[in-house]
Amino acid sequence: MQPHQLLAALATGEPLSGSRLAADTGVTRAAVWKQIQALRHRGVPIESAGAAGYRLPWPIHMLDESAIRADLPAAVARRLGVLEVHWELDSTSSALQRRGIAAPDFSVVLAETQTAGRGRRGRSWLSPPGLNIYLSCLKRFEAGFASLSGLSLATGVIVLRALHALGIAGARLKWPNDVLAQSGKLAGILVELSGEYQGPCAAVIGIGLNLRLTPALREQAGQPVSDLADLAHGVPPDRNRAVAALVTSLVEGLDQFEREGFAAFVDEYAEHDALRGIPLRVSGASGDLDGVGAGIDARGALQLQTPAGLHRIDSADVTVRRA
């Protein structure tokens, strides 16, 4: 028995006995127990249901390429280079980067779990199997790096558009690449560029979106975090439907970015800017700077109003904390 087989068997949320699981998969009950423990170690909240066996506290939807494609508009489906669903990868972004020039435009790779999910500045990204969305999309651009100013911020807007399409409101954007809900971080965005400064170049855009987090995972995160269940009255959307909404928003939004640049996203970003008017402390290589968030400029730089005047901050190494 493989972990993904066990998780799929438990996905309905109905209890299944160890003997039933062993008989259905042709392994011993000891082998079932070993995989139960392995999934629990990865963050899957498998409960013991007494004589009834094992169960999940809620149903989950295993990622399914056919189900995702069925939810895509025909025009979006035609644009995709590839759409792949994997059980486990080191990271979806690394998988795309390894393909280099062989990966066609709008290649999308998903994984049920990651062993080395990456966040900003090399931080790890928690990737428990079956609970959230880990997705990367490759977009090729004929222009060079300079034309991609503001891409990570535009991607934040693109994620919010997908959430709105799912009927989910209440998320906001934290410069430069986080999506927040009231209780904490909802999604992270990582944009990695390759190619020529003058063009052509490519962007691998990684998105980690929390659908449902257990109390143990929230504690393990080491920072305030949130999930779509928080915003959807306890019932997050079907994962495949959520992926289809994200892919649709990415294809349409990145095409818009290529045509119009970040200017097409500035007003939407400002509407959902979580830092505007907030006392901030910006920490960078030159030290700390205190001020009040004053929105972003046309390039996507953070503007900080200080007693000494308005500062613009666009370094990728800057971290922002409430003062």
Side-chain angles (χ1 to χ4, degrees):
M1 169 180 278
Q2 297 299 313
H4 68 277
Q5 295 172 307
L6 176 57
L7 189 59
L10 294 170
T12 63
E14 297 297 319
L16 287 174
S17 68
S19 57
R20 169 72 180 277
L21 288 166
D24 287 350
T25 56
V27 300
T28 65
R29 290 185 65 179
V32 171
W33 169 249
K34 182 178 180 180
Q35 293 297 351
I36 292 281
Q37 291 298 90
L39 285 173
R40 284 172 170 169
H41 180 72
R42 299 286 292 273
V44 181
I46 300 174
E47 301 175 344
S48 295
Y54 307 101
R55 68 183 176 201
L56 292 169
W58 51 73
I60 65 171
H61 302 97
M62 302 292 288
L63 295 177
D64 181 87
E65 180 186 338
S66 297
I68 295 167
R69 286 189 179 276
D71 248 348
L72 295 175
V76 170
R78 287 194 296 268
R79 295 296 311 282
L80 293 184
V82 298
L83 175 63
E84 295 180 356
V85 174
H86 299 264
W87 163 249
E88 181 179 88
L89 293 170
D90 51 353
S91 84
T92 56
S93 289
S94 294
L96 272 177
Q97 289 170 336
R98 284 192 291 269
R99 300 184 187 192
I101 61 173
D105 198 28
F106 282 121
S107 293
V108 175
V109 172
L110 296 121
E112 288 282 6
T113 183
Q114 301 178 118
T115 59
R118 303 197 306 277
R120 182 169 172 256
R121 301 181 68 188
R123 297 185 180 96
S124 62
W125 186 267
L126 291 177
S127 305
L131 302 185
N132 304 313
I133 292 174
Y134 321 113
L135 173 154
S136 292
C137 174
L138 180 140
K139 177 70 180 82
R140 299 195 179 279
F141 297 91
E142 288 303 314
F145 294 163
S147 69
L148 304 187
S149 177
L151 178 57
S152 65
L153 279 69
T155 304
V157 172
I158 287 168
V159 171
L160 289 196
R161 290 175 179 176
L163 298 185
H164 294 162
L166 293 166
I168 295 173
R172 305 192 73 194
L173 299 171
K174 175 178 177 285
W175 188 91
N177 53 4
D178 288 345
V179 182
L180 305 181
Q182 186 171 9
S183 57
K185 186 170 179 175
L186 177 68
I189 296 160
L190 181 65
V191 177
E192 298 172 287
L193 303 179
S194 62
E196 302 296 329
Y197 185 80
Q198 298 295 335
C201 66
V204 171
I205 300 167
I207 299 171
L209 174 62
N210 298 328
L211 266 72
R212 196 191 289 269
L213 298 171
T214 64
L217 288 168
R218 290 174 187 264
E219 184 176 350
Q220 189 179 349
Q223 62 176 313
V225 292
S226 185
D227 58 25
L228 290 188
D230 290 341
L231 298 178
H233 309 291
V235 184
D238 179 299
R239 288 170 77 221
N240 293 300
R241 180 169 166 252
V243 168
L246 267 177
V247 170
T248 299
S249 191
L250 280 165
V251 170
E252 295 173 348
L254 292 173
D255 273 346
Q256 182 183 19
F257 184 89
E258 186 170 31
R259 292 191 310 268
E260 305 173 42
F262 184 58
F265 298 83
V266 170
D267 290 344
E268 276 181 88
Y269 192 97
E271 182 182 350
H272 302 287
D273 187 348
L275 300 183
R276 181 184 287 272
I278 301 295
L280 302 174
R281 174 164 294 164
V282 178
S283 301
S286 58
D288 295 341
L289 190 63
D290 291 332
V292 174
I296 57 170
D297 68 11
R299 298 181 300 107
L302 174 68
Q303 298 185 124
L304 188 71
Q305 187 65 55
T306 74
L310 188 67
H311 290 255
R312 289 178 173 83
I313 300 149
D314 53 19
S315 168
D317 294 328
V318 171
T319 60
V320 180
R321 296 286 184 269
R322 294 197 177 190

